């Protein structure tokens, strides 16, 4: 079993009233100041009775890379050799480690090789710049246009393409692509539950000027042939919510309460949740179980930087 808790870090607003001539009193607020992801690190036996391995990573630091197209002096498309923009993000998971590893590889492959391309409705219409996957059909490879003008595909044209939601969309695609490989088999409910894995993704969007946390719960549906198909859909987490993966039923409500109390008392939610995870591990182990264990992984994301907290 696993316990991963992620949410929005907050900090108390600064009191500027002493530097102002206005008579309005200072009213403190808690404002979003990043994201956090905290997790145990145990791999346990099937029944969760004992720890097989600890120090196992359940939160990964990754980087989205958006590559821009290169052109020959005559304006013909040459390929991709330069990164236009980079964006760090983290991925946390709970569930099957084998399924998670397969999905993490898919996320790393797709997000590290994003490409700038274009679309347009008609030949005489203006082009629309967009982000595509490296494995996606690319109209730049088409022989319909052999030479591009100097006023197209400029760096200024690419601003705002790599939004946080775009990163989340490609994470969603990567998860579903990896899960799709299981759809060729007729999974029983027991087999589906064995591969059940959930994810959380955190990033900073400089264009929306906000931190964004996305939740990916694993779901199932029956295909046209009756085969059980696993899939996910992204969900943007509100700034006042905390995400719990793994032991959600047992500790989800407690984590939300602790998060809310931290905001009420003008304390760091991340620090309070770290303390809660310590308590959760003690509680579980006092029951004679090793479902979750130390050491605890603690990461903060603030804009373009991910920090490991000791």
């Amino acid at each position: 079993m696993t316990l991963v808790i992620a949410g929005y870090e907050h900090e108390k607003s600064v009191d500027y009233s002493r530097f102002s001539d206005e008579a309005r009193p200072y009213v403190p607020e808690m404002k979003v100041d990043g994201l956090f992801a905290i997790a145990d690190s145990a791999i346990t036996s099937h029944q969760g009775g004992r720890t097989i391995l600890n120090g196992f990573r359940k939160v990964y630091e990754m980087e989205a890379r958006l590559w821009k197209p290169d052109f020959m002096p005559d304006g013909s498309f040459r390929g991709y050799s330069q990164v236009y923009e980079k964006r760090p993000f983290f991925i946390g998971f709970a569930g099957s480690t084998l399924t998670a590893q397969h999905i993490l590889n898919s996320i790393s492959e797709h997000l590290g090789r994003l490409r700038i391309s274009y679309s347009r409705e008609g030949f005489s219409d203006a082009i629309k710049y967009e982000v595509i996957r490296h494995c996606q059909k690319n109209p730049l490879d088409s022989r319909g246009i052999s030479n591009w003008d100097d006023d197209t595909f400029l760096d200024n044209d690419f601003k705002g393409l790599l939004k946080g939601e775009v990163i989340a969309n490609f994470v969603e695609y990567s998860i579903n692509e990896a899960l799709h490989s299981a759809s060729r088999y007729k999974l029983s409910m027991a087999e589906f539950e064995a591969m059940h894995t959930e994810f959380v993704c955190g990033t900073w969007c400089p264009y929306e000027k906000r931190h964004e946390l996305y939740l990916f719960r694993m779901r199932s549906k029956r295909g046209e042939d009756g085969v059980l198909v696993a899939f996910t859909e992204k969900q943007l987490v509100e700034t006042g919510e905390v995400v719990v993966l793994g032991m959600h039923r047992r500790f989800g409500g407690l984590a939300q309460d602790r998060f809310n109390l931290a905001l009420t008392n003008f304390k760091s939610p991340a620090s309070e949740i770290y303390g809660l995870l310590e308590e959760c591990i003690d509680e579980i182990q006092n029951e004679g179980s090793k479902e979750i264990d130390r050491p605890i992984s603690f990461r903060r994301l603030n804009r373009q930087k991910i920090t490991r907290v000791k």
Side-chain angles (χ1 to χ4, degrees), residues 181-245:
S181 62
S183 66
R184 71 189 66 175
Y185 308 104
K186 294 183 178 181
L187 296 176
S188 66
M189 185 54 69
E191 291 168 330
F192 173 81
E193 291 176 351
M195 66 176 288
H196 189 90
T197 311
E198 299 179 331
F199 293 83
V200 64
C201 170
T203 189
W204 159 256
C205 180
Y207 305 109
E208 298 292 341
K209 300 188 184 306
R210 66 180 186 181
H211 291 90
E212 297 177 357
L213 189 68
Y214 290 90
L215 174 62
F216 302 86
R217 297 281 190 198
M218 188 167 158
R219 303 178 182 178
S220 65
K221 61 183 177 181
R222 293 287 178 182
E224 295 180 358
D225 56 358
V227 173
L228 191 64
V229 178
F231 73 101
T232 191
E233 291 178 338
K234 74 178 189 300
Q235 174 189 340
L236 178 62
V237 180
E238 298 295 329
T239 58
E241 297 179 3
V242 67
V243 171
V244 178
L245 302 182

Side-chain angles (χ1 to χ4, degrees), residues 160-184:
L161 288 182
L162 194 59
K163 292 184 177 180
E165 185 179 13
V166 171
I167 290 175
N169 286 340
F170 285 111
V171 169
E172 180 183 270
Y173 174 87
S174 301
I175 296 173
N176 283 326
E177 184 201 49
L179 293 176
H180 182 71
S181 62
S183 66
R184 71 189 66 175

